[in-house]
Every structure is written in C-alpha cells, then in structure tokens.
Amino acid sequence: MFDALSIGATGMQAQQLNVDTIANNLANVNTSGFKKARVSFSDLVSRHAAPVASRSDDSASGALAAMTRMGAGVGIASLARMFEAGDLKKTDSPYDLAIRGDGFLEVVMPDGSRAYSRGGVIKVNKDGQLANLAGYAFKPGIAVPDNVQELVVHNDGRVQARVAGQTGLVDIGQLELVRFANAQGLIAQGDNLYRSSDASGEAILSKAAEEGVGTLAQGHLESSNVRMVDEMVNLMVAQRTYEANVKVVQAADEMLGMINGLRR
C-alpha cells in the first residue's frame, strides 16, 4: 500500500505537468507562430517482486523460475514542441513575414548567441538592421536605407527596397533559412524564439525553396498550430486520469487506516 501511494503520486505529478502544458497551449491559441507542446509518458523502472507459488504440477521447485516484475509508476519521457505548420493569415502588411513550409530564420541575440524564429512582425532596429519585433537582427545582417519607401521580401529570401528619388527596386540583402535534423529538440525561450540543443543538432544553413525547406511569405503571419478541440479533449482526459490517481491514493490511505485500527 505504500507502493500504491507513491505510484498514485507519480501519476498525479505527471498529469499536473500535462494539464499545465495543455493550459499553456490554450493560452497561446491566438499567438502568431506559436507551436504547441506535447508531454510523453513512460513507465518508471520496474523492480522484482517476491516470487509466487507455481500452479504448474510439473514444477519441481514449486516456485516460479522467473521473478515477477512490478511497476513503480509513471514518469515524463519528454516535453517536445510540435512544429506542424500553422495556417497562414494574410495581412497585406509589408512588415509581416511568415515561412510557408519547414525552416527557421536565424537572429543574433544581444550576447552574440543565435536563436531561431518562424517569422512574425519584422522592423528596422535602431542600428538600421532588418530585425524581428524584439529588435534582434536577422543573420546575415541586412542594412536598410534610412530613406526607404518600400520593402519587398521575395519568396526565395531576396530583399529589395525602393528609396526616395529612385523608381526601381535595389537589392539590399538575402534572408537565409536554417533547418534542423530534429526540430522537436529545440528549446523554447519565449518571444517565439528557439535555441538549439544536443537533441536538435546544429543548424543546417539552407536556401529558401531549396533542399526541402520552405519559402518566405511577405504580408502573411503564421497562426498558432493549436487546435482548440484537440486541446479540450486532451484536457478532459488529463483531468480524468488525475482523478483516477487521486482515487488510488485515497483507497491506499483508507486501507492503511484499516490496518492501523486492527486490534489483537
């Protein structure tokens, strides 16, 4: 019964994280570019239980040759981001940028490290560089003229601008995309930015529309890939599972109370 208490506790703890993850998904259902998270479970390391008497008539020893094994509860196997593409929403704003298909834009953080984005609202930062909404410049750096009147980002990542006094567009840079061997291993850090990890592998530099990566879509924003109906169903399942584990703990506690109340 002490085992039942600890097993029930592991189930409650695991489902609490599951509910927290689902709640975060639902809270970001309208966040552009948000990628939902999923919790995966695994059984904890089982241990040998005491041998039981064999019912086989031909057993000489009268005991099972193999020990039975007993589970020790449930644990968290992984908490991974699901990088399924969200729907593209047309905004017609030249400073909205989305990726149609696989791939990430690389940005330079203030400490010089690299982070990766699925696009969103872009702007010209204080240094005159094309950057995301937080002001982190894209890599490679693209300097935008001060007198720019029109900014055009082509599907292949080519960036052009029209400046005052000129009628044609001039090339000012090239946005490149990166991909990962295992995108689910990326670490979310907020602001729709991700960092690489040992699980994701290093970023693989690619060109838009080549080598299996997507294309850029100016005037669009990528919607969250959270599906409200799926998350509500998952929330109900998690709640019922949590309640079942609570019942296990309550039953074990009642049985321990009965044992403590025994008298000779």
Side-chain angles (χ1 to χ4, degrees):
M1 268 126 1
F2 287 109
D3 289 337
L5 287 172
S6 63
I7 290 172
T10 64
M12 293 166 62
Q13 185 177 19
Q15 291 305 320
Q16 181 62 61
L17 177 60
N18 194 21
V19 170
D20 292 344
T21 302
I22 295 170
N24 188 61
N25 290 343
L26 289 171
N28 287 280
V29 67
N30 292 320
T31 301
S32 297
F34 178 80
K35 300 302 179 184
K36 64 186 177 183
R38 279 285 176 269
V39 179
S40 298
F41 304 102
S42 64
D43 59 329
L44 296 179
V45 177
S46 58
R47 61 180 177 78
H48 287 294
V52 297
S54 174
R55 295 182 179 178
S56 175
D57 295 333
D58 59 357
S59 175
S61 62
L64 290 176
M67 302 285 279
T68 58
R69 298 187 69 83
M70 182 180 229
V74 63
I76 304 299
S78 66
L79 176 58
R81 292 279 170 178
M82 312 304 293
F83 282 94
E84 302 165 357
D87 297 330
L88 293 189
K89 180 173 63 176
K90 188 174 182 181
T91 65
D92 291 326
S93 170
Y95 289 94
D96 288 339
L97 188 63
I99 300 174
R100 182 181 285 110
D102 296 332
F104 297 85
L105 290 165
E106 187 174 1
V107 299
V108 181
M109 303 299 290
D111 61 359
S113 62
R114 302 289 186 262
Y116 306 94
S117 167
R118 283 285 297 173
V121 180
I122 61 176
K123 70 175 186 179
V124 180
N125 65 12
K126 61 182 181 181
D127 298 321
Q129 299 283 317
L130 193 63
N132 68 355
L133 187 59
Y136 306 140
F138 293 112
K139 184 178 179 295
I142 298 177
V144 180
D146 294 333
N147 55 347
V148 64
Q149 294 182 329
E150 182 182 2
L151 187 69
V152 178
V153 181
H154 295 275
N155 293 345
D156 60 359
R158 190 162 44 95
V159 182
Q160 293 183 316
R162 178 179 286 111
V163 298
Q166 294 184 353
T167 58
L169 294 171
V170 295
D171 292 335
I172 60 173
Q174 172 80 36
L175 285 174
E176 298 175 336
L177 296 181
V178 299
R179 57 188 176 89
F180 295 88
N182 177 28
Q184 291 186 358
L186 292 173
I187 301 172
Q189 65 170 49
D191 292 330
N192 285 337
L193 293 176
Y194 305 90
R195 289 188 184 271
S196 61
S197 67
D198 292 339
S200 67
E202 294 297 324
I204 303 171
L205 186 62
S206 305
K207 290 186 177 180
E210 296 181 7
E211 302 174 1
V213 299
T215 58
L216 293 169
Q218 188 180 24
H220 293 76
L221 286 176
E222 184 183 11
S223 301
S224 165
N225 66 353
V226 175
R227 299 291 180 264
M228 181 73 75
V229 173
D230 294 342
E231 297 303 318
M232 292 303 295
V233 171
N234 292 337
L235 182 61
M236 288 187 289
V237 172
Q239 183 181 7
R240 295 294 182 267
T241 307
Y242 186 92
E243 292 174 353
N245 283 281
V246 170
K247 293 295 184 183
V248 170
V249 173
Q250 290 175 342
D253 181 63
E254 290 174 2
M255 295 175 70
L256 287 172
M258 294 169 60
I259 293 173
N260 291 333
L262 292 176
R263 295 291 186 272
R264 290 186 178 179

